Amino acid sequence: MKHPFRRALAAVLLWSAAQAGFAQVPRSVMLEELTWTEVRDAQQAGKTTIIIPIGGTEQSGPGIALGKHNARAAWLAQKIAERLGDALVAPVVAYVPEGAVSPPQGHMKFPGTITIPDAAFEATLVSAAQSFAAHGFRNVVFLGDHGGYQSDLKRVVAQLDKAWAGKPLRAVLPAAYYQASSDGFAAMLRKQGFRDDEIGTHAGLADTSLQLAVAPRMVRLETLQHGPKLGAVDGVFGGDPRRSSAALGQAGVDAIVARTVEAIRQATAGR
């Protein structure tokens, strides 16, 4: 039987270890995983850039789950923020313009897709950016994972630039992010011998490979590989996902992260 003093000492040591664990500064760059005091401390330590990842809830054929853009935007934003070293990542914007409701157009023809008006989308982003500026962030970076609202993002950045003229604030829309994930990745795949009718523009080989590298649980790969060639009626536009792989997607992911980090650093240099 242990001596009472030893038992008391052991209890004190366990309590101290527990308190030390609680006192550790989280390494996460994800805003939602931090307390407000941890965000404050992170800012004081030099994290003055906030990244707003923008996804979308839309169909991507029968082989990819509806949250494709949300998962991808969050994952890429985290990697980009970690590489930058001075950034945190805001919650993903999952509600975006996806087309008309009545009658349904575009992706809205498929169950599960969610759309909102452009004006509501843009107002949400402006308000989010203003919130972060009020809390001391100096660079607000928008990463849009979907092509359908790129024009909205340009209008938002223009509006913020006008409102922030003369202030130590900057809205950033790095063109490299979407370019690297669309035309840039398609060019990489062509060099490896893949055809345009495989690569596709939506839910084809390129799209599916990127998702396999980021969130493989969201891809029904076995169903795709053993199923028939899919088309627009299935929600797959201009491509064929059957030869998709995580290895192909990883090359695209690496390029997206590297090029976006470089673009953000150039846009925020000296600020």
Short mmCIF file of all heavy atoms in Angstrom, two decimals, residues 222-254:
data_model
loop_
_atom_site.label_atom_id
_atom_site.label_comp_id
_atom_site.label_asym_id
_atom_site.label_seq_id
_atom_site.Cartn_x
_atom_site.Cartn_y
_atom_site.Cartn_z
N GLU A 222 -15.30 2.58 -56.43
CA GLU A 222 -15.59 1.24 -56.96
C GLU A 222 -16.78 1.27 -57.90
O GLU A 222 -16.77 0.63 -58.96
CB GLU A 222 -15.84 0.26 -55.81
CG GLU A 222 -16.01 -1.18 -56.28
CD GLU A 222 -16.10 -2.16 -55.12
OE1 GLU A 222 -15.77 -1.77 -53.98
OE2 GLU A 222 -16.49 -3.31 -55.37
N THR A 223 -17.78 2.04 -57.53
CA THR A 223 -18.96 2.17 -58.39
C THR A 223 -18.59 2.82 -59.72
O THR A 223 -19.05 2.40 -60.79
CB THR A 223 -20.04 3.03 -57.69
OG1 THR A 223 -20.42 2.38 -56.48
CG2 THR A 223 -21.26 3.20 -58.57
N LEU A 224 -17.74 3.85 -59.66
CA LEU A 224 -17.32 4.53 -60.89
C LEU A 224 -16.49 3.61 -61.78
O LEU A 224 -16.69 3.55 -62.99
CB LEU A 224 -16.50 5.78 -60.53
CG LEU A 224 -17.27 6.95 -59.92
CD1 LEU A 224 -16.31 8.06 -59.53
CD2 LEU A 224 -18.31 7.49 -60.90
N GLN A 225 -15.53 2.91 -61.18
CA GLN A 225 -14.61 2.09 -61.97
C GLN A 225 -15.31 0.94 -62.67
O GLN A 225 -14.89 0.51 -63.75
CB GLN A 225 -13.49 1.57 -61.07
CG GLN A 225 -12.51 2.64 -60.63
CD GLN A 225 -11.44 2.10 -59.70
OE1 GLN A 225 -11.65 1.09 -59.01
NE2 GLN A 225 -10.28 2.75 -59.67
N HIS A 226 -16.36 0.43 -62.06
CA HIS A 226 -17.04 -0.73 -62.63
C HIS A 226 -18.37 -0.38 -63.29
O HIS A 226 -19.12 -1.26 -63.69
CB HIS A 226 -17.27 -1.79 -61.54
CG HIS A 226 -16.00 -2.34 -60.97
ND1 HIS A 226 -15.37 -1.80 -59.88
CD2 HIS A 226 -15.21 -3.37 -61.37
CE1 HIS A 226 -14.27 -2.48 -59.61
NE2 HIS A 226 -14.14 -3.43 -60.49
N GLY A 227 -18.62 0.90 -63.40
CA GLY A 227 -19.87 1.33 -64.00
C GLY A 227 -19.70 1.79 -65.44
O GLY A 227 -18.59 1.82 -65.97
N PRO A 228 -20.78 2.17 -66.08
CA PRO A 228 -20.72 2.62 -67.47
C PRO A 228 -20.17 4.04 -67.56
O PRO A 228 -20.04 4.75 -66.55
CB PRO A 228 -22.19 2.59 -67.89
CG PRO A 228 -22.93 2.88 -66.62
CD PRO A 228 -22.14 2.21 -65.53
N LYS A 229 -19.84 4.49 -68.76
CA LYS A 229 -19.40 5.87 -68.96
C LYS A 229 -20.59 6.79 -68.67
O LYS A 229 -21.70 6.56 -69.13
CB LYS A 229 -18.92 6.09 -70.39
CG LYS A 229 -18.27 7.45 -70.61
CD LYS A 229 -17.76 7.59 -72.04
CE LYS A 229 -16.96 8.88 -72.20
NZ LYS A 229 -17.68 10.09 -71.80
N LEU A 230 -20.33 7.83 -67.89
CA LEU A 230 -21.38 8.74 -67.46
C LEU A 230 -21.38 9.99 -68.33
O LEU A 230 -20.37 10.34 -68.93
CB LEU A 230 -21.18 9.11 -65.99
CG LEU A 230 -21.16 7.93 -65.01
CD1 LEU A 230 -20.73 8.39 -63.63
CD2 LEU A 230 -22.53 7.26 -64.95
N GLY A 231 -22.52 10.67 -68.35
CA GLY A 231 -22.64 11.87 -69.16
C GLY A 231 -23.39 12.97 -68.44
O GLY A 231 -23.62 12.90 -67.22
N ALA A 232 -23.81 13.98 -69.20
CA ALA A 232 -24.45 15.16 -68.62
C ALA A 232 -25.74 14.80 -67.89
O ALA A 232 -26.08 15.42 -66.87
CB ALA A 232 -24.73 16.18 -69.71
N VAL A 233 -26.46 13.81 -68.37
CA VAL A 233 -27.70 13.42 -67.72
C VAL A 233 -27.43 12.87 -66.32
O VAL A 233 -28.30 12.89 -65.44
CB VAL A 233 -28.47 12.37 -68.56
CG1 VAL A 233 -27.71 11.05 -68.60
CG2 VAL A 233 -29.88 12.18 -68.05
N ASP A 234 -26.21 12.39 -66.10
CA ASP A 234 -25.81 11.87 -64.79
C ASP A 234 -25.15 12.95 -63.92
O ASP A 234 -24.86 12.71 -62.75
CB ASP A 234 -24.82 10.72 -64.95
CG ASP A 234 -25.35 9.62 -65.87
OD1 ASP A 234 -26.35 9.00 -65.50
OD2 ASP A 234 -24.75 9.40 -66.94
N GLY A 235 -24.89 14.12 -64.51
CA GLY A 235 -24.22 15.18 -63.77
C GLY A 235 -22.72 15.23 -64.00
O GLY A 235 -22.01 15.95 -63.29
N VAL A 236 -22.22 14.48 -64.97
CA VAL A 236 -20.80 14.48 -65.31
C VAL A 236 -20.63 15.22 -66.62
O VAL A 236 -21.18 14.80 -67.65
CB VAL A 236 -20.25 13.04 -65.43
CG1 VAL A 236 -18.79 13.05 -65.85
CG2 VAL A 236 -20.43 12.29 -64.11
N PHE A 237 -19.88 16.31 -66.61
CA PHE A 237 -19.80 17.18 -67.78
C PHE A 237 -18.43 17.06 -68.46
O PHE A 237 -17.40 17.42 -67.90
CB PHE A 237 -20.05 18.63 -67.39
CG PHE A 237 -21.39 18.85 -66.72
CD1 PHE A 237 -21.55 19.81 -65.75
CD2 PHE A 237 -22.49 18.06 -67.06
CE1 PHE A 237 -22.77 20.01 -65.13
CE2 PHE A 237 -23.72 18.24 -66.44
CZ PHE A 237 -23.86 19.22 -65.48
N GLY A 238 -18.46 16.53 -69.67
CA GLY A 238 -17.29 16.52 -70.54
C GLY A 238 -16.16 15.62 -70.11
O GLY A 238 -15.03 15.80 -70.59
N GLY A 239 -16.37 14.67 -69.24
CA GLY A 239 -15.26 13.85 -68.78
C GLY A 239 -15.67 12.43 -68.45
O GLY A 239 -16.83 12.05 -68.56
N ASP A 240 -14.68 11.66 -68.02
CA ASP A 240 -14.89 10.26 -67.66
C ASP A 240 -14.03 9.97 -66.42
O ASP A 240 -12.80 9.94 -66.50
CB ASP A 240 -14.48 9.35 -68.81
CG ASP A 240 -14.78 7.88 -68.54
OD1 ASP A 240 -15.11 7.53 -67.38
OD2 ASP A 240 -14.69 7.06 -69.49
N PRO A 241 -14.64 9.77 -65.26
CA PRO A 241 -13.88 9.61 -64.02
C PRO A 241 -13.33 8.21 -63.76
O PRO A 241 -12.70 7.98 -62.73
CB PRO A 241 -14.92 9.96 -62.95
CG PRO A 241 -16.22 9.50 -63.54
CD PRO A 241 -16.10 9.78 -65.01
N ARG A 242 -13.50 7.28 -64.68
CA ARG A 242 -13.20 5.88 -64.36
C ARG A 242 -11.72 5.60 -64.11
O ARG A 242 -11.38 4.66 -63.41
CB ARG A 242 -13.74 4.97 -65.48
CG ARG A 242 -15.26 4.88 -65.47
CD ARG A 242 -15.78 3.98 -66.57
NE ARG A 242 -15.57 4.57 -67.90
CZ ARG A 242 -16.00 4.01 -69.03
NH1 ARG A 242 -16.65 2.86 -68.99
NH2 ARG A 242 -15.78 4.61 -70.19
N ARG A 243 -10.82 6.42 -64.66
CA ARG A 243 -9.38 6.20 -64.42
C ARG A 243 -8.82 7.18 -63.38
O ARG A 243 -7.60 7.37 -63.29
CB ARG A 243 -8.61 6.33 -65.73
CG ARG A 243 -8.84 5.19 -66.69
CD ARG A 243 -7.63 5.00 -67.60
NE ARG A 243 -7.46 6.10 -68.55
CZ ARG A 243 -6.33 6.32 -69.23
NH1 ARG A 243 -5.26 5.54 -69.04
NH2 ARG A 243 -6.26 7.33 -70.09
N SER A 244 -9.68 7.75 -62.58
CA SER A 244 -9.25 8.69 -61.54
C SER A 244 -8.43 7.98 -60.48
O SER A 244 -8.61 6.79 -60.23
CB SER A 244 -10.47 9.32 -60.87
OG SER A 244 -11.28 9.97 -61.82
N SER A 245 -7.52 8.73 -59.84
CA SER A 245 -6.72 8.15 -58.76
C SER A 245 -6.26 9.24 -57.81
O SER A 245 -6.11 10.40 -58.20
CB SER A 245 -5.50 7.40 -59.32
OG SER A 245 -4.53 8.31 -59.79
N ALA A 246 -5.98 8.85 -56.58
CA ALA A 246 -5.46 9.80 -55.59
C ALA A 246 -4.08 10.29 -55.98
O ALA A 246 -3.71 11.44 -55.69
CB ALA A 246 -5.42 9.13 -54.22
N ALA A 247 -3.29 9.46 -56.64
CA ALA A 247 -1.95 9.87 -57.05
C ALA A 247 -2.01 11.01 -58.05
O ALA A 247 -1.23 11.98 -57.96
CB ALA A 247 -1.20 8.68 -57.64
N LEU A 248 -2.92 10.91 -59.01
CA LEU A 248 -3.10 12.00 -59.96
C LEU A 248 -3.55 13.26 -59.24
O LEU A 248 -3.05 14.36 -59.49
CB LEU A 248 -4.13 11.62 -61.01
CG LEU A 248 -3.74 10.56 -62.05
CD1 LEU A 248 -4.95 10.19 -62.90
CD2 LEU A 248 -2.60 11.05 -62.92
N GLY A 249 -4.50 13.11 -58.33
CA GLY A 249 -5.02 14.25 -57.61
C GLY A 249 -3.99 14.92 -56.73
O GLY A 249 -3.98 16.15 -56.59
N GLN A 250 -3.08 14.13 -56.14
CA GLN A 250 -2.08 14.71 -55.25
C GLN A 250 -1.17 15.66 -55.99
O GLN A 250 -0.76 16.70 -55.44
CB GLN A 250 -1.26 13.59 -54.61
CG GLN A 250 -0.32 14.08 -53.51
CD GLN A 250 -1.08 14.75 -52.37
OE1 GLN A 250 -2.03 14.18 -51.84
NE2 GLN A 250 -0.65 15.95 -52.01
N ALA A 251 -0.84 15.35 -57.23
CA ALA A 251 -0.01 16.26 -58.02
C ALA A 251 -0.73 17.59 -58.23
O ALA A 251 -0.11 18.66 -58.15
CB ALA A 251 0.33 15.62 -59.37
N GLY A 252 -2.03 17.51 -58.46
CA GLY A 252 -2.81 18.74 -58.61
C GLY A 252 -2.89 19.51 -57.31
O GLY A 252 -2.77 20.75 -57.30
N VAL A 253 -3.10 18.82 -56.21
CA VAL A 253 -3.18 19.46 -54.89
C VAL A 253 -1.88 20.20 -54.57
O VAL A 253 -1.89 21.34 -54.10
CB VAL A 253 -3.49 18.41 -53.81
CG1 VAL A 253 -3.19 18.95 -52.42
CG2 VAL A 253 -4.94 17.97 -53.91
N ASP A 254 -0.76 19.54 -54.82
CA ASP A 254 0.54 20.15 -54.53
C ASP A 254 0.72 21.44 -55.32
O ASP A 254 1.24 22.44 -54.80
CB ASP A 254 1.68 19.17 -54.86
CG ASP A 254 1.71 17.97 -53.92
OD1 ASP A 254 1.11 18.05 -52.83
OD2 ASP A 254 2.34 16.95 -54.29
#
